[in-house]
Amino acid sequence: MTTVNSSGSLTVTDNRTGKTYDIPVENGAFKTMDFRQIKVSDDDFGLLGYDPGFLNTASCKSAITYIDGDRGILRYRGYPIEQLALHSTFLETAYLLIKGELPDKERLAVWSYNIHHHTMTHANIVKFMDGFRYDAHPMGIMVGTVGALSTFYPDAKDIMNEDSRKLQVRRLIGKIPTLAAMSFRHSMGFPYVLPDNDLSYPGNFLSMMFKMTEQNYSPNPVLERALDVLFILHADHEQNCSTNAVRAVGSSGVDPYTAVAAGCAALYGPKHGGANEAVIRMLMEIGSIEKVPEFIKSVKAGSGRLMGFGHRVYKNYDPRAKIIKKIAFEVFEETGRSPLLDIALELERIALEDDYFISRKLYPNVDFYSGLIYKAMGFPLDMFPVLFAIGRIPGWLSQWTEHVQDSDQKIARPRQLYLGEEARDWMPIESRPRNRMDEKKLDICRL
Ligand code: ACO
């Protein structure tokens, strides 16, 4: 199996004491708890690992998604993303992520029926939605409404009950597009559109987004399929920021609606769900192909980054970006070509030949072309993270389910390295030694 590395042990010598320890290695990792025994004295707490942002710490064992960033590989449950994007639907991919295997025809039909029959929301959600200001960001609305779902389904608290878990999974995958479309229509002042269960999952979402006065909404099949593939490409990405949030909040034993609301909250941040919007803004700012060389020069000189390029994990072409680039051409055939696409193509061409980007292994990531597609389809920029959330929902739920069933897991509670003051006594206000504060502290205390 590709994910399992060699096992064995480490011999660690603590140069502070001269003592030697044997630390087991399993699956290419050691347990940081095994380092706790390494102490300089009996009252020493023991050695901790320091790893802000978890750059080199595995927080779980997982059998869901495999990434090899150096080789540009992404697989869900062993299946290459390229094959899923070519042959599967989003709902089938969601089944795969959650259940671990691709469904047969009968199982897929039951699964699709079950998801489609959970697309309606309780009527009180409409009142809840109406409480948001007219200009509320749709992603802020998602954080609130997904969290609010937990109050509608108190049975979801029974997280150790498998039947209950399965029901909440179906409800969440079914209702997320409905909430997403409602958040958009609320911001536009349009009446909400009820789900149409005769349409496909992405087709129904497009209907709830864009249906106006027509009796029946017929989605453009090219755009419908493009959206489905984009959802597939976003469906999981192992322990990213929002998935880690879902697992960490879920580790407290809370219901999945609340845990998924935490995932939405993480995705709201510009460093996670907002990069494709930043790409569009960058392309608009560049304005024309002629200005691309000048822009690249300014990036190399350190004034800003080439948005949609580079990735913490991929040090090769992001496999999702290749697929998305192809979809972009298909979508533009339908919607008419955007001049922003030509700017993007020129940026990519120049960057991929430039030593600055080559030497740093900076390639287009998933966000480089996805925003262009969403924009061409008519989605406003602030809906981009919401679209990401719809795609990511099966990933969050499969990771949450795996976490709940993992007997190794405990409530997420990292340690810290305390570097603050030693114990000191409280003083009455008139005798606090202000003049003894250093400049930095005075600055912090300034009102
Ligand atoms: N444009 C120009 N230079 C870049 C870029 C970029 N997009 N990304 C990285 N670099 C340079 C850095 O300046 C640094 O150069 P240096 O060694 O001379 O200092 C070097 O490449 C390494 O950069 P890091 O920030 O250390 O790389 P890291 O892996 O931490 O960052 C990240 C990854 C945050 C994605 C970064 O590449 C970036 O900011 N990209 C643009 C934003 C973006 O597209 N984000 C979406 C990511 S995909 C997602 O989250 C869904």
Side-chain angles (χ1 to χ4, degrees):
M1 203 169 120
T2 8
T3 42
V4 177
N5 298 318
S6 61
S7 298
S9 70
L10 294 178
T11 302
V12 175
T13 303
D14 184 348
N15 293 325
R16 300 170 302 172
T17 58
K19 283 192 191 157
T20 295
Y21 303 83
D22 202 35
I23 307 287
V25 174
E26 206 183 313
N27 299 326
F30 60 83
K31 291 184 178 156
T32 45
M33 271 307 282
D34 286 341
F35 275 70
R36 189 71 78 72
Q37 60 182 307
I38 303 179
K39 301 178 178 201
V40 283
S41 61
D42 285 346
D43 59 356
D44 181 358
F45 183 75
L47 211 56
L48 291 174
Y50 175 60
D51 187 10
F54 307 124
L55 269 78
N56 198 41
T57 297
S59 62
C60 61
K61 294 175 184 162
S62 181
I64 301 170
T65 289
Y66 173 72
I67 301 177
D68 181 333
D70 290 330
R71 294 196 290 153
I73 292 173
L74 170 62
R75 296 182 201 135
Y76 298 158
R77 302 282 189 186
Y79 292 100
I81 192 69
E82 293 82 359
Q83 292 181 22
L84 292 167
L86 195 61
H87 304 296
S88 265
T89 62
F90 175 66
L91 278 192
E92 188 179 53
T93 306
Y95 183 103
L96 170 70
L97 284 167
I98 287 159
K99 313 241 181 211
E101 295 295 338
L102 283 168
D104 58 20
K105 259 189 179 172
E106 194 190 330
R107 286 190 171 87
L108 182 60
V110 173
W111 170 251
S112 302
Y113 177 91
N114 284 339
I115 301 292
H116 281 292
H117 285 78
H118 282 291
T119 48
M120 293 265 282
T121 58
H122 191 288
N124 282 1
I125 284 283
V126 174
K127 291 188 200 158
F128 189 81
M129 189 75 70
D130 285 344
F132 286 99
R133 268 178 62 120
Y134 70 95
D135 59 352
H137 194 292
M139 198 60 194
I141 296 182
M142 288 299 282
V143 174
T145 49
V146 172
L149 285 181
S150 78
T151 65
F152 289 83
Y153 305 111
D155 56 318
K157 293 192 189 327
D158 196 4
I159 61 164
M160 296 322 288
N161 177 331
E162 192 184 353
D163 289 339
S164 170
R165 280 202 308 268
K166 285 181 175 171
L167 176 60
Q168 316 315 327
V169 163
R170 294 197 287 269
R171 281 178 174 153
L172 264 162
I173 299 176
K175 287 180 206 315
I176 281 273
T178 314
L179 294 179
M182 285 170 85
S183 72
F184 164 70
R185 295 187 73 104
H186 175 78
S187 66
M188 300 299 287
F190 295 156
Y192 305 127
V193 175
L194 285 176
D196 179 347
N197 290 343
D198 290 334
L199 295 174
S200 69
Y201 189 84
N204 173 46
F205 174 59
L206 288 170
S207 162
M208 291 189 291
M209 281 288 299
F210 299 123
K211 184 171 186 281
M212 298 308 274
T213 53
E214 63 270 46
Q215 195 69 24
N216 290 308
Y217 179 89
S218 307
N220 174 314
V222 175
L223 305 192
E224 185 182 7
R225 176 61 189 156
L227 192 58
D228 208 39
V229 176
L230 282 161
F231 287 158
I232 292 173
L233 299 179
H234 285 88
D236 197 45
H237 214 229
E238 49 120 303
Q239 306 313 313
N240 57 88
C241 176
S242 57
T243 302
N244 182 54
V246 170
R247 280 190 180 253
V249 171
S251 76
S252 71
V254 77
D255 66 86
Y257 301 100
T258 308
V260 166
C264 290
L267 203 55
Y268 198 176
K271 287 188 188 164
H272 191 13
N276 49 10
E277 179 180 340
V279 172
I280 299 292
R281 294 197 191 285
M282 172 189 76
L283 296 175
M284 292 196 296
E285 199 185 306
I286 296 171
S288 70
I289 293 187
E290 295 72 48
K291 294 199 178 137
V292 169
E294 190 189 322
F295 179 78
I296 294 271
K297 213 170 141 191
S298 71
V299 167
K300 285 163 59 178
S303 75
R305 290 195 165 191
L306 177 49
M307 299 310 292
F309 259 66
H311 197 278
R312 170 61 58 78
V313 177
Y314 294 114
K315 300 301 169 196
N316 201 323
Y317 213 105
D318 181 336
R320 301 167 300 173
K322 277 189 197 153
I323 303 166
I324 291 178
K325 185 176 176 184
K326 190 168 161 281
I327 300 172
F329 285 102
E330 291 163 13
V331 166
F332 283 121
E333 281 282 307
E334 298 294 310
T335 60
R337 197 175 171 107
S338 157
L340 297 184
L341 175 66
D342 295 311
I343 300 174
L345 289 169
E346 183 65 356
L347 272 174
E348 183 187 350
R349 189 188 68 75
I350 297 186
L352 292 182
E353 287 173 358
D354 191 301
D355 190 53
Y356 175 95
F357 297 92
I358 295 169
S359 62
R360 289 170 178 78
K361 299 187 177 174
L362 300 172
Y363 296 89
N365 60 45
V366 67
D367 293 314
F368 194 63
Y369 289 106
S370 63
L372 283 169
I373 302 176
Y374 294 146
K375 193 166 182 298
M377 285 179 168
F379 292 104
L381 297 195
D382 57 10
M383 277 298 283
F384 291 4
V386 177
L387 296 164
F388 194 155
I390 299 175
R392 187 52 56 88
I393 196 81
W396 287 336
L397 291 170
S398 55
Q399 301 270 353
W400 171 77
T401 305
E402 191 177 66
H403 195 96
V404 166
Q405 294 177 295
D406 182 350
S407 58
D408 275 2
Q409 288 298 337
K410 299 197 178 303
I411 186 166
R413 204 303 185 187
R415 291 280 173 178
Q416 63 167 10
L417 304 179
Y418 178 72
L419 303 177
E421 302 285 352
E422 294 295 337
R424 48 184 176 165
D425 290 324
W426 186 90
M427 289 179 201
I429 198 158
E430 52 285 356
S431 49
R432 288 175 200 164
R434 184 181 167 83
N435 53 357
R436 272 198 265 137
M437 280 194 202
D438 63 28
E439 277 307 309
K440 197 171 161 210
K441 278 192 183 161
L442 272 173
D443 206 36
I444 291 167
C445 295
R446 195 164 290 133
L447 294 176

